[in-house]
Structure formats: structure tokens, C-alpha cells
Amino acid sequence: MSLNRREFLGATAALTTAGALLPSATLAADSIKLGSILDTSGIFDAYGKPMDQALRLAIGEINAGGGLLGREVDVLSYDTQSDMALYSQYAQKLTRQDQVDVVHGGILSASREAIRQTMRKSKTLYFYNVQYEGGVCDRNIFVTGVTPSQQVEVLVPYAMKKSGPKVHILAADYNYGQITARWIQKFVEENGGEVVATDFFPLDVSDFGSTITKIQQTAPDLVVAPLVGGAHLSFFRQWAAAGMKDKIALASTTMGVGNEHKVLTPEEGNGIMVAYNYSQELDTPENRAFKEKWEAAYGDTSAIHELAVSTYQGIMLWAEGVKKAGTVDRMPVIEALETGISIVGPAGNIAIDPQTHHATLDVHVMEVENQGMTVMETFNQVAPVDTQQVCNLQENPDDNTQYEIQI
Amino acid sequence: MDLSFVILVEMLYAIATLVLISAGLAVVFGMMKVINLAHGEFMMMGGYATITAVGLGVNVFVAMLIIAPIVVGLIGLVVERLVIRHLYGRLVDTMLATWGLSLVFIGLATMIFGNTTTGISTPISGFAVGRYQINGYNFFIIVVAIVLVIAMLAVLKGTRLGLIARGTMQRSEMAAALGYSPDRIYMATFFCGSALSGLAGAILAPLVGLVPTSGGAYIAKAFITVIAGGPSLIAGLVSSATSFGVVSQVFTFAISPVIGDVALLIAAVVLLRAMPQGITSRFFRGKL
């Protein structure tokens, strides 16, 4: 058989078009459509890529088990390339053109706020599976990540018990850092301590030499550092380089979210205290099974981080809600989730708090040890008390604000 | 007493850092009048060269002081041959071209090293001064900056090569008439400027978490320092680095690091208003 290039190209083009059209035509009728909107390239890809992998792992698992309500779940994903402008664009596409049943995604708070109203207006259920500053009050959104109070409430007493009552706070200078610093101050005072100083740093500050000297002037027992991003990672390095590591204890609410503790050497990282929902070192059957599945799918578990697990748990919670509601329609699913539905995920039991649509979950206080996180103490079912202070969706279901929580 | 010593060291360290990050730009912009907006990316590549070399088992000081400058110098050489040499004397065009280059370098670094933070740990340990701990690496940076300034001075003033380079930058036709090839000299000078940027990136690498976009953090400070320095290369560099280092550290210690940075920028504005041609247009005139 002879085939010239033109015929060959024509045939392949026809084949690919047919291939692309057929399954979606059949799927559209009876599959459930899940929209995903994440930065899987660009400067936030260290967060977004594992989240995307976790999302696909969860959906793969659901489909392998026969889907939801006997229907296959189809993922429609968009890469926002770490560009906030693309969020609103793709959110429109997901809600208008694709008309998905649920959207999971968003990483930075800015990206969440860029798409939250679009989801609400188009009546598309939205899951935000990221640790953030708290305070979002909207019946259309569910948040499965930890909020500052959940971390700080357990981290501060633990760290103060290990070190002493005088605390110096170093925080990133934007809403997450500002709000977290306030929570740290509150819990330090509640535990009989004193905040000797609070310093805020813009995200591009990478020289902490003078700060380290200043910390020694205030002579605290403990430094709590909700610092964010690559430039701020320098602090942990310079802190160790100055030989401060064994003199003053150090705790953080952010170090390790993007697996930063694997960038620091053991000498630099060891002993830093953190508090998260998830640690790769958690020794539970669920986590072991999760890691095995991850390894089978992607070969290497080292990329798994807090946000990836939150995403996985977010999908599973939504699936549980759909099963309970018996439909993917938005209101019945919201009502089903509001019954306080819970699952046991890789990070432990996680339940939806009906009042705030945030998650009540286990928080583990951990210490960095040889580029891993060793669980020191586990606090079961910590409620999102910060958001609970300002948000009550049961009394006020039409609320649609992100509150700045005053303490 | 201990505190004043520590603050003094921090101040010297701030000045040394400014000298380091601006030295390469002082050569490329100050001498050659090429607005190199990719200066920060040259530094970033110096950092990655160091980290890669250390990862391959090279001694960290060899990696920082020898490998990184050579690697970045060679990259600079290629850039000069392909792009910059067509643009000498066209100030605004160099700006556009080097801005494009900076985007290319960020993209390439992202492709090769990924967009995650990397780094190496500091090779010199900290030590105590009375009640205070000091980062021992600060002294290393101060020493490198001093050696660098002396070396630049020695080369530019003491050697025939330096004389030829300076002469060519001032009157390239005259240099050509005397039998020197301006093309070659420009190439060599750009190589040196790039190598200096690479060195700065390498030396700062152990202090920071490096990402492909790290260069952006240095570029503004480097330009401010070089422009405020004025026409004299080394006297300008040292005098403006000293003024800005002192101002920013005084405010950093008195108030906060953010105010320190703000004070640096305000000082730059005031300085340029008072002396639009830079510090060395009024003081240290005629010095190198």
C-alpha cells in the first residue's frame, strides 16, 4: 500500500478529530464533570503540580471503584500558569462553556478571590483545598485546608513549653502574615507569654542579617516565623549560618508547605517546629495506602505535600457529599455536606464544619528531622475557630464576604 | 559594646553586598554604557553554577570564586558576540535587548533547574561576639568585596590592559587609530563585567534560597548604586555603596528592614536631586 504525505496527514487528522469528538460526546451525556483550575506551571508550580497529581489520583480511585452514582467522573483541567488574570478567564470557561458540576482549585488567596464570585453567580459548587488566612464566608465554597488558628492554637503552646515565654514574631507582609501574626500574639498571651517584637517582611526580602542581630537584642526564647516563599527561605539558612539554631527555638506555620524542609540541609532544618494537617511520616494505614497508591501512579512520593493531601481530601469529601445527596446538583450536595460529613483521609479524620464550610481536622505538631517531619504530638479534630468567630452560614446563609478577623 | 561591634559588622556587610552586586554592572553600564537589565539574571546564573558545581562534588570556594565567574563570563561572551556588539552606543536599544535576554535566562533556568527553591548551606559557621552571634560568612563577603575593589583598581590603574580598556571606552576611534581593536576590547570588558556579576551571584548563593527569578531582587539596588556613584568607576561604586549601606542599616536597626529599604530609596532620590551626575561628579573628581 502506498501512502503519500498528504493522504497520511489527512487520514491522521480525521482520526484524531474523530477520537477527540467521540468519547466526549458519549461522556457528556452521563459523566460527572469536575473542573480543576491550578497553577501547574510558572512560579507556583511547586504547589500546583502535586495538587494536580493528587486530584487525578483521587478521581482515578473513584472511577476505578465504579464512579459516583454509577457515573464516571471526568476531569476538565486548566493550567493558570501562575497568572492571576487567567483564573477569571478559565473560571468563565468552566462555568459557562464546560458547565461543570463542581470546581476544585485555586492556590493563592488572590486566585481564590478571582474566581469565587464567578462560581457563586453561576451556581457552581467550589472547593478551595489550600491552607490560607481564614475568614471566607460563602455558602457556595468549601475549604479543606488549615487556617491560622488551627495551626497556631496547637503550635504556640507546644513551642512555648519547649522553650519559654518570650516570643519574637517574623511574618510575611501581606494578609496571611499579618493575620497569622495576630493569632500568634493572641495565643502567646493566652498561654502566659509575651510577644517582645513583631517584624514584617515584604516577600522579596532575602537579607535577614540585621534582623538576626535585632532578634538577639530582644533576646526571646522562641522565634515564630510565618515567612513565605523562596526569598524568605533565606532566613532559615542565615539563622543557621549565624549559629542561632541551638540558642533560640524556632517555629513556623509555613515552612514545609511546599516541601521547603527538603531544600534546607539537616543542619539548617533540624529542630524547627511546625504544625500541619499532614506529614509524610504519619504512620497510619490510610497514609501508608495513600503513599503506595501515589508511588504506583507517579513513581516517587517525595513531592507529596500538605496542599496535595488537602486536595485529595477535598475531592473525597465532595464525593462523599454526592453519594449522600444521591445527585450532583449543587444545593442537595451543599446540604449533604452541611450535615457534618467526614472522611478518614491520609492526614486523619476530616469533617466539614457546617457553620463555616471550613474543615475540622487533625493537626500534628512536628519537628523537622533530617529533611523529614517527625510527628511529636497530635491534636484531634481542631475546629476552625478563627472563621467561626465571624462566619455563621446557618444563621446567615446569604453571606458572601471574606472577613478580616479582628482579635 | 558588643552590640556596636555587631552593628558595625552588619554595616560593613551591607556596604560589601552593595559593592559586590554592583561591581559587574559598574563595568558593563558605568564603563561600557550598556544598560544591562539582565544583570540580575547573570547573578542568578552564577548562583546556579555554584550550586550545580557543589552538587557535583566541587569544593564550595572553588565553585564560588572560580567556576561561577568563568561560566557566567563565558555566557556573557556569547551574549556579547550575538547581541550586545551590534548595539554599542545605542543606550535604549541595549535596554530592550537585555530585558529580553533576562526573560530568556529566567525561562532557561526554569526549564533546566525547575521552579523550586534550591540552595547550598553556608560554608563558614557563625561565632559569638560577647552576647551576640554573628554570621561568619559576613566576614567572608566583606573580605571578598575589599579584595575585589583593590583588584579592580590594580587592573584598571596599574596594568596596561586596564589603561587600554579605559582609553577605548572613552575614545574608541582613537584606540583603533593606535592599533588596538575596540571590538576585542569591548568583548573582553563585557566578559569581565559578566564574570563579576557571576561572582556576586555565587557569593550570595549560600545566603539565599535561589529561584530562577531571584535576579529581580538585585537589579534595582545595583542600578541605583551605579547611577548614584557617577562617572568614576571605583570611587563612585565605593562611595555610593557606603552611603546607601550606612543609611539603610541605620534605619534597619532603628526601625525595621522595610524602613531600611525605604530609606535607601529616599536617599537615592535626594542624592540624585542634589547631584544629578552622581556622587563622583562633585566629590573625588578625576579619581578612577
Side-chain angles (χ1 to χ4, degrees), chain A residues 139 142 316-318 320-321 324 332-344 349-361 381 388 394:
Chain A
R139 205 165 169 218
F142 288 88
M316 290 308 183
L317 276 167
W318 165 76
E320 207 54 36
K324 184 155 189 177
V333 175
I334 290 179
E335 276 154 18
L337 286 162
E338 279 174 349
T339 57
I341 247 171
S342 72
I343 58 151
V344 181
N349 192 63
I350 170 164
I352 294 291
D353 171 44
Q355 185 194 326
T356 58
H357 283 201
H358 284 54
T360 298
L361 35 73
Q381 301 305 293
Q388 281 176 346
Q394 284 168 325

Side-chain angles (χ1 to χ4, degrees), chain B residues 224-237:
Chain B
I224 290 170
T225 310
V226 173
I227 292 172
S232 315
L233 187 66
I234 293 169
L237 182 64

Side-chain angles (χ1 to χ4, degrees), chain A residues 3-15:
Chain A
L3 193 70
N4 68 28
R5 196 175 60 172
R6 187 168 293 165
E7 280 166 4
F8 175 74
L9 283 177
T12 13
L15 270 177

Side-chain angles (χ1 to χ4, degrees), chain A residues 34-351:
Chain A
L34 180 140
S36 159
I37 186 163
L38 290 168
D39 303 309
T40 52
S41 63
I43 54 171
F44 305 124
D45 72 343
Y47 300 127
K49 269 188 195 157
M51 290 170 79
D52 182 62
Q53 290 177 318
L55 179 129
R56 288 171 198 283
L57 192 69
I59 299 300
E61 237 181 285
I62 290 170
N63 285 338
L68 278 177
L69 314 172
R71 293 160 69 188
E72 186 106 333
V73 181
D74 209 11
V75 181
L76 294 158
S77 66
Y78 291 96
D79 172 14
T80 30
Q81 301 164 28
S82 307
D83 179 356
M84 292 305 133
L86 287 176
Y87 270 95
S88 27
Q89 193 181 322
Y90 287 143
Q92 298 283 359
K93 213 167 171 203
L94 277 170
T95 51
R96 290 199 184 153
Q97 200 174 320
D98 303 330
Q99 303 197 335
V100 292
D101 298 301
V102 62
V103 171
H104 285 257
I107 301 181
L108 298 204
S109 286
S111 64
R112 178 199 65 240
E113 290 308 303
I115 62 177
R116 188 164 65 85
Q117 301 303 342
T118 311
M119 299 298 157
R120 191 182 161 91
K121 267 184 218 139
S122 66
K123 301 203 184 337
T124 311
L125 184 59
Y126 174 39
F127 275 73
Y128 176 62
N129 305 308
V130 177
Q131 164 197 18
Y132 87 114
E133 67 278 359
V136 167
C137 195
D138 174 353
R139 205 165 169 218
N140 191 49
I141 187 174
F142 288 88
V143 182
T144 62
V146 288
T147 57
S149 74
Q150 286 173 311
Q151 292 177 289
V152 174
E153 186 185 349
V154 299
L155 178 64
V156 164
Y158 174 87
M160 280 171 68
K161 215 189 305 160
K162 266 200 99 170
S163 51
K166 283 171 76 182
V167 178
H168 192 125
I169 304 172
L170 308 175
D173 198 4
Y174 72 110
N175 65 354
Y176 172 79
Q178 299 270 2
I179 292 170
T180 307
R182 270 185 249 147
W183 280 102
I184 294 169
Q185 172 134 18
K186 176 184 152 81
F187 282 110
V188 165
E189 281 161 10
E190 270 181 17
N191 286 283
E194 176 203 0
V195 173
V196 289
T198 306
D199 286 314
F200 292 103
F201 302 91
L203 291 172
D204 60 349
V205 170
S206 65
D207 184 1
F208 291 87
S210 55
T211 309
I212 290 171
T213 308
K214 247 180 120 173
I215 294 172
Q216 300 184 56
Q217 273 177 279
T218 61
D221 303 307
L222 169 70
V223 173
V224 185
L227 296 169
V228 177
H232 284 181
L233 192 65
S234 315
F235 169 75
F236 299 98
R237 188 153 273 157
Q238 289 166 21
W239 181 253
M244 294 303 299
K245 243 188 84 247
D246 305 316
K247 304 224 151 109
I248 298 175
L250 182 58
S252 172
T253 58
T254 45
M255 218 281 302
V257 173
N259 276 336
E260 289 90 348
H261 57 292
K262 297 193 172 157
V263 177
L264 297 177
T265 60
E267 297 79 50
E268 290 167 339
N270 282 356
I272 298 176
M273 294 171 271
V274 294
Y276 292 112
N277 180 223
Y278 180 71
S279 155
Q280 287 207 25
E281 272 69 26
L282 274 179
D283 194 24
T284 59
E286 288 79 15
N287 187 33
R288 279 196 297 271
F290 174 71
K291 283 171 75 174
E292 272 165 29
K293 278 179 269 177
W294 188 289
E295 203 173 346
Y298 305 116
D300 176 19
T301 57
S302 66
I304 305 175
H305 55 45
E306 171 88 5
L307 307 183
V309 172
S310 288
T311 304
Y312 181 85
Q313 294 180 153
I315 305 263
M316 290 308 183
L317 276 167
W318 165 76
E320 207 54 36
V322 171
K323 276 186 218 159
K324 184 155 189 177
T327 167
V328 287
D329 291 346
R330 184 179 80 119
M331 274 326 283
V333 175
I334 290 179
E335 276 154 18
L337 286 162
E338 279 174 349
T339 57
I341 247 171
S342 72
I343 58 151
V344 181
N349 192 63
I350 170 164

Side-chain angles (χ1 to χ4, degrees), chain B residues 7 16 22 27 38 86 88 91 129 136 157 168 200 212 216 220 225 229 255 262 267 274 286:
Chain B
I7 293 182
S22 315
V27 171
H86 305 293
Y88 286 124
L91 212 59
V129 178
K157 207 161 188 181
T168 310
T225 310
I255 306 170
V262 173

